[in-house]
Amino acid sequence: MNKELAECPLGGQMSNLERMKLCEWVYESEPSVVVEIGGGEGGGSTFCIAEAMAQLREEGKCKDSILLTADPLNGPAREFYGGHKRYGDFIKFLWFSSDFQNIFDGGFPSPDFIFFDGPEDPDDNLNDFKFFDSIVKSGCKFSCHDWETTARSFDGAISTKAAKLRPHIENLETWETLEYLSGLDGEWPNLDPNSRASSVGLIYAVKR
């Protein structure tokens, strides 16, 4: 895997380490159906996921894989990826996370990699996860950005995104954490007090 990600002209969040990790996790998972909630303009997590899938395809793997990504602000992403021969034929854009229920209730294969970076709405994120948890199989991977529920090192802000989702997952015996990038000061990878934080919290888990 080439961990040196190319520059993307679209706006996007996530630190360089978070981007590298997400790309690595998708690549190593060799997924068939990837779901992303909250890709924004497409230059952050969407690009990392798409690049990992493109690299797999170049190696003759996951030729029929698809990325389904939902965000009401994904207009720039639709234009960029839709006109890019490297990515255009395996990405499908949706406007809202609620659109996924129609897709998967219709018999579409369940996802085997899910990424959340959606709105600052704890109820929406919890409900979206519960829906996917009810349809995915053992071995499905899950990752979520802004995992911290207390003041984070990066900017001192408190994200409500995982306020209900995090305790829900941590109380489930059916999900196991594989890797965790803390968003708190003094915890890996935020160990250098003289630099900006390397993560705002990024979880990577698998369904048992």
Side-chain angles (χ1 to χ4, degrees):
M1 173 190 166
N2 180 10
K3 295 185 179 181
E4 296 295 327
L5 295 178
E7 291 291 328
C8 180
L10 301 173
Q13 300 179 354
M14 303 186 76
S15 70
N16 288 338
L17 177 62
E18 290 173 336
R19 291 171 182 241
M20 183 188 74
K21 281 293 185 180
L22 179 58
C23 186
E24 178 182 300
W25 295 338
V26 174
Y27 178 86
E28 292 178 350
S29 297
E30 297 187 7
S32 297
V33 179
V34 180
V35 159
E36 177 190 37
I37 294 178
E41 294 182 5
S45 55
T46 305
F47 184 68
C48 301
I49 295 168
E51 183 57 29
M53 296 175 72
Q55 289 190 33
L56 286 167
R57 285 177 161 231
E58 288 176 343
E59 297 171 8
K61 304 172 185 176
C62 307
K63 291 263 184 196
D64 297 320
S65 295
I66 186 171
L67 166 58
L68 305 173
T69 176
D71 195 300
L73 302 178
N74 65 22
R78 290 171 182 256
E79 182 176 354
F80 173 76
Y81 292 103
H84 205 302
K85 63 180 182 180
R86 181 171 174 81
Y87 313 109
D89 64 343
F90 65 83
I91 303 179
K92 178 177 176 60
F93 290 96
L94 310 171
W95 292 117
F96 304 105
S97 62
S98 56
D99 296 334
F100 285 117
Q101 190 157 348
N102 294 329
I103 290 175
F104 292 107
D105 284 350
F108 200 85
S110 63
D112 46 10
F113 197 106
I114 302 168
F115 180 76
F116 274 24
D117 197 6
E120 291 288 318
D121 187 319
D123 291 308
D124 278 357
N125 290 311
L126 177 60
N127 291 334
D128 283 338
F129 177 82
K130 285 182 175 180
F131 167 70
F132 286 112
D133 193 22
S134 71
I135 65 171
V136 299
K137 301 175 182 178
S138 174
C140 177
K141 307 294 177 49
F142 173 78
S143 181
C144 182
H145 194 227
D146 294 309
W147 193 241
E148 299 304 337
T149 57
T150 58
R152 58 199 188 192
S153 176
F154 180 73
D155 55 7
I158 299 177
S159 172
T160 61
K161 190 175 299 182
K164 294 184 177 181
L165 177 58
R166 179 170 179 169
H168 175 76
I169 291 181
E170 290 179 343
N171 285 321
L172 291 176
E173 296 183 354
T174 49
W175 286 88
E176 175 186 358
T177 298
L178 298 175
E179 195 166 355
Y180 168 51
L181 279 65
S182 174
L184 303 181
D185 193 30
E187 297 182 4
W188 188 85
N190 307 314
L191 300 178
D192 185 353
N194 297 315
S195 67
R196 298 183 73 187
S198 299
S199 177
V200 296
L202 185 67
I203 190 73
Y204 178 47
V206 62
K207 185 161 187 176
R208 292 180 168 135

